Amino acid sequence: MTDLIAGQIALRSRFLPTNVKPTHYTIALEPDLESRVYEGAISIDLLVKEDTKSITLNVHPDIDLISTQITSNGRTVRIESLTRHADTERYTVLLCDSLLAGNEIQLSHKFTGYLNDQQNGFYRTTYRGEDGKDRHVAATQGQPTSMRRAFPCFDEPNLKATFSITLAIKSHETCASNMDIASEREIGGKKHVTFNPTPPMSPYLVCFIVGEDFHHFVTSDWRVPISIYTAFSKDARPAKFTLDLEVKSMKFFEKAFQFKYPLPKLDLASFPGFRLGAMENWGLMTFNDNHMLWDERTHGISAQQLIVEICIHETAHQWFGDLVTNKTWDSTWLNEGFATWASLYAMNDFYPEWRIWERFVSGELADGLSLDGLRSSHPIELAAEPGQEAQILDAISYQKGSVVLRMISTFIGEEKFVEGVAHYVNKFAFSSSLSSDLWESLTHVAGVDIGSIMDPWIKQTGYPVLLVEENPDDNTIVATQHRYLRTGDVAPEEDMTWPIVLNILTEDGIQSAPILTHRQAKYSVPMDFYKINANHTGFFRTLYPPSRYLKLGEAAQTGLLNVQDRAGLIGDLGALAAAGYVSTSSLLRMLDGFRHETEITVWRLILAQLAAIEEAWMFEDQQIKEGLAKFLQSLVGDALRKSGWEFSRLEDPKQQQLKVALFSASAGAGSPRIIEACLKMFQKYIAGDDEAIDSNLRLDVFATAIEYGSAKEFGSILNLFFESSDYGIKSDCRKALGRTKEPKLMKKALDLLISDRITPPDMNYLLAGFWHRRENISTLWNWTKLHWQQCMKRLPSDIPRPYFVKGCIQGCSSRAGYEDIKQFFENNPTTGIDLVLAQVLETIKANVQWVERDREDVRAWLEEHKYIG
């Protein structure tokens, strides 16, 4: 086979050729934050793995290559041709003579790049400084396949190498990178800052930032310094909270994974315009400005928990993702699912009063089950095609990934699980791994074949619903598993099976039943009380006979079901109603029986089921919608009157969150009492009383003021969004603007999406306010169609774009909406959004079927209970 033919085959491959392996990068960059242009030089040390005449690496079309040179033993290697492949973002160097296996060569490029505004590669974001003037930050974002947009590289996670980086910056600028500074010299009026070489790491984890006005905070409370760079807050108190959390987290994970953090420092940097919640770059984690610093004066308990979780998540990545990396993006979940589990594992230790594993049922478990109930979902481990890598950074990789890890840790015991993880981390440190490597380590420690249990869960799309038949005569049940689909139309070829750990709860405790590995099995249980999937650690739904739901409802009231079991029971019944296994009225009846519930985790799932019904019935008869709102007001009214909405920072965090959830639900349902309270709080706040609105309620008060106020209230919140320097306040303003009922104000809010007054990452947050009313949903979609090209031009082509598309169309739950969306995307490209588009369309279709099936059932229940006349 000729090298030319081999090169053509390689270009069609998902992966780069393996004929050479990078071992070290020497990179020098000189960015100009004003002109947005940067000059670069790079030398890549390569080990020739097999005789070859060609070298192929990744180069984004934005990179302008000025020169290319290859040397071997100090001699220049003759180049026959240079070919760029813009569609695959590859660059092939064809040589005149073959390179022999075992040789070490250097591939060098000089190039120029552009600090783009797409928040990937090497990009620039702009914010308003304390003096009212524009400030710039340049930063890198490489995950999943964007480091090639910053500099030429072998941009695949398993191609680890060491990196030496030098940045030439202006004297008043500050910079940081993965490693500590080796030297700093003044050359030609510029600071040339050279950083020490990194350990072997994947290219997507390379990070450097350059800023004009960073505030810097550092702690020496750990064996290596931990510091914060922030472009927003010069207040030391929020920084101290995060630094203390990081010290605690680093100590915790070093002990858990039995491997010392190998870098000489750890930095956290936050700045406006960062497109993600955060990014785990080794030694220099980057954050969105409202996801790193918690200020108790302006942030509520939910914001605190979110910030804690994100910070710990990225810290866990320093081991799981950075030290040990997935070999390909097929195994993204190894990074993200594990970091999600690990963050909760640590939070449970740091904040036992938060009862994290209870929240897990209404959070990670519920989110994973929701997406994976669609035919258009995907396996945890997926052979992602080029362009799909970012789309699978979703609830399957993160949430379902964390749930199956929680499932297996519960099965073998948490202590054994963590011991197995430590074995895995130490075995694959500074290298790359596969899912099977983790299973082998867990098997080594637990003495159980973990791979045989876990492979179906990560390689098959979806999950089972367990159908239970009772035989009271001999105290047995027959459990039969089938695949659950939200559309309820499983074809025979789709009806897979999974190994299910049943965990049957009885009055005597959790019954150790065999794992259900076949379609059906029979089990002995006490008929007076049992419940399958104790603590809801399993990733499946359970359908009981109707009479059993009555008994489980009674058990919930008498204390036989704990928080996880009550919440999971409600979540299961909601999903079964949506798919047609049970009637929606049976779900409403169950929810009505929980009106005296006192736990936030259970209430979250109660409210989630009602929100799902509201979304599906959004374009239905207004009388039905009003009846559902009255039911919601009735359901939460007593609980809210009992709890009130006054807050104390000494109060139980769960009680604070319960108050917020009940208040928010009442406001959203149009409770006159709550609307009046919100408007009074808002007027005092705008008049200058900063204490008038508790930060826990601020979003709901802002949203209610806009929805039931006038152009005056809208203008006040819009100005607050523009002028406030508090990232928590700005975030709440952004999410509230879409709640207006006035068409002119809706357009004014939507026009921000294509203005320079809102950064591209903030575009997705603005959409949330439009999902509450059908008029707003229709306005949002019609506006989006008119401005589609402008929006796509502003949005990065990877992670934020699918979220934006979902946000624009997810509320269009009608047959007309479904057909309109399909027709629109038949005439517009769907590259990079095809997976999420299919998922949203399937959800809309399922909602339409749900309404058509249960329209009269819901009407009859509402009439019976006097919520409609």
Side-chain angles (χ1 to χ4, degrees), residues 731-862:
S731 176
D732 289 341
C733 291
R734 193 169 48 204
K735 294 173 184 175
L737 289 170
R739 288 287 286 272
T740 178
K741 295 178 179 179
E742 296 296 325
K744 289 183 179 179
L745 298 181
M746 290 185 210
K747 183 179 184 304
K748 189 170 185 177
L750 289 168
D751 285 345
L752 290 172
L753 296 172
I754 52 175
S755 77
D756 60 2
R757 300 302 301 270
I758 189 168
T759 63
D762 290 339
M763 293 169 66
N764 292 332
Y765 295 103
L766 186 70
L767 304 178
F770 285 86
W771 304 335
H772 189 64
R773 298 172 64 248
R774 59 186 174 197
E775 294 83 0
N776 298 54
I777 291 168
S778 298
T779 298
L780 168 60
W781 173 230
N782 289 329
W783 182 95
T784 300
K785 289 185 289 185
L786 289 174
H787 300 87
W788 180 254
Q789 296 301 331
Q790 290 166 280
C791 291
M792 291 301 99
K793 186 176 180 181
R794 289 205 77 206
L795 278 165
S797 58
D798 51 8
I799 297 171
R801 188 172 288 185
Y803 285 107
F804 180 81
V805 173
K806 181 179 180 181
C808 290
I809 64 177
Q810 68 178 14
C812 301
S813 290
S814 67
R815 284 201 176 275
Y818 178 86
E819 295 300 333
D820 189 36
I821 293 166
K822 276 189 67 177
Q823 183 178 1
F824 179 80
F825 284 106
E826 285 172 1
N827 300 311
N828 287 278
T830 60
T831 304
I833 61 170
D834 53 326
L835 287 178
V836 74
L837 179 60
Q839 291 160 3
V840 177
L841 283 171
E842 185 180 352
T843 301
I844 293 173
K845 181 180 179 181
N847 280 341
V848 171
Q849 293 172 344
W850 184 10
V851 173
E852 292 176 347
R853 182 177 59 246
D854 277 7
R855 180 183 284 120
E856 295 309 315
D857 175 63
V858 169
R859 179 184 294 276
W861 191 88
L862 292 172

Side-chain angles (χ1 to χ4, degrees), residues 170-432:
K170 295 177 181 177
S171 58
H172 68 280
E173 294 172 342
T174 302
C175 66
S177 187
N178 303 85
M179 294 293 288
D180 54 341
I181 295 174
S183 66
E184 184 175 317
R185 295 178 297 163
E186 187 84 15
I187 302 175
K190 292 281 188 77
K191 284 192 298 186
H192 286 246
V193 182
T194 298
F195 299 90
N196 280 311
T198 71
M201 58 187 279
S202 302
Y204 79 91
L205 295 168
V206 171
C207 186
F208 35 86
I209 61 172
V210 180
E212 301 175 282
D213 196 21
F214 280 126
H215 303 291
H216 188 226
F217 306 92
V218 65
T219 181
S220 300
D221 289 347
W222 193 47
R223 60 178 179 79
V224 303
I226 301 176
S227 69
I228 282 176
Y229 293 90
T230 174
F232 241 148
S233 176
K234 61 181 179 182
D235 190 338
R237 282 173 291 186
K240 185 179 187 308
F241 173 84
T242 302
L243 289 172
D244 289 346
L245 176 65
E246 283 302 312
V247 169
K248 200 171 185 178
S249 301
M250 296 298 280
K251 290 178 179 178
F252 181 85
F253 287 130
E254 275 200 342
K255 181 179 179 181
F257 302 150
Q258 300 173 32
F259 196 102
K260 281 192 172 183
Y261 174 73
L263 273 62
K265 57 89 178 177
L266 176 66
D267 296 331
L268 297 80
S270 74
F271 40 85
F274 185 70
R275 69 194 176 104
L276 307 172
M279 177 63 201
E280 66 265 20
N281 314 298
W282 212 4
L284 176 54
M285 305 185 295
T286 46
F287 295 78
N288 190 296
D289 52 35
N290 62 338
H291 286 153
M292 187 181 79
L293 301 176
W294 180 70
D295 189 338
E296 64 179 357
R297 297 164 298 179
T298 56
H299 286 76
I301 181 63
S302 294
Q304 181 189 15
Q305 291 189 358
L306 177 64
I307 288 168
V308 166
E309 183 172 353
I310 289 174
C311 286
I312 299 177
H313 179 105
E314 305 310 326
T315 306
H317 271 311
Q318 302 300 297
W319 285 266
F320 228 101
D322 297 0
L323 178 66
V324 183
T325 312
N326 46 286
K327 280 190 176 179
T328 71
W329 293 114
D330 299 359
S331 300
T332 294
W333 86 279
L334 265 180
N335 286 2
E336 302 302 347
F338 182 83
T340 301
W341 175 87
S343 64
L344 301 173
Y345 172 59
M347 287 169 71
N348 189 55
D349 184 84
F350 299 169
Y351 302 95
E353 69 277 13
W354 289 359
R355 287 155 64 176
I356 288 300
W357 295 124
E358 290 180 4
R359 193 205 75 177
F360 188 76
V361 176
S362 62
E364 286 74 13
L365 177 61
D367 292 344
L369 288 167
S370 177
L371 177 54
D372 212 29
L374 300 176
R375 182 177 276 111
S376 51
S377 181
H378 61 84
I380 288 179
E381 194 162 86
L382 171 69
E385 295 300 322
Q388 288 186 333
E389 297 94 344
Q391 291 189 76
I392 62 173
L393 293 168
D394 59 8
I396 301 302
S397 295
Y398 284 76
Q399 279 80 13
K400 183 180 179 181
S402 70
V403 173
V404 298
L405 291 173
R406 165 78 169 155
M407 181 172 68
I408 204 65
S409 74
T410 303
F411 177 64
I412 66 174
E414 192 174 81
E415 186 176 335
K416 286 288 186 185
F417 179 78
V418 175
E419 185 182 345
V421 168
H423 180 275
Y424 164 87
V425 167
N426 281 267
K427 184 175 180 179
F428 294 98
F430 303 108
S431 62
S432 303

Side-chain angles (χ1 to χ4, degrees), residues 579-605:
Y581 287 91
V582 299
S583 66
T584 305
S585 61
S586 65
L587 169 63
L588 294 171
R589 190 178 305 112
M590 171 73 80
L591 298 181
D592 197 33
F594 276 84
R595 60 176 58 243
H596 300 299
E597 177 60 53
T598 59
E599 292 289 342
I600 177 57
T601 293
V602 182
W603 269 108
R604 283 194 180 114
L605 277 167

Side-chain angles (χ1 to χ4, degrees), residues 37-42 59-68 84 91 109-114 148-152:
V37 174
Y38 64 95
E39 297 180 355
I42 186 168
V59 184
H60 191 276
D62 282 0
I63 298 292
D64 184 11
L65 290 172
I66 297 170
S67 66
T68 298
R84 295 193 72 153
Y91 181 69
H109 300 286
K110 289 186 178 179
F111 60 95
T112 59
Y114 183 71
R148 66 193 67 176
R149 196 170 184 176
F151 53 83

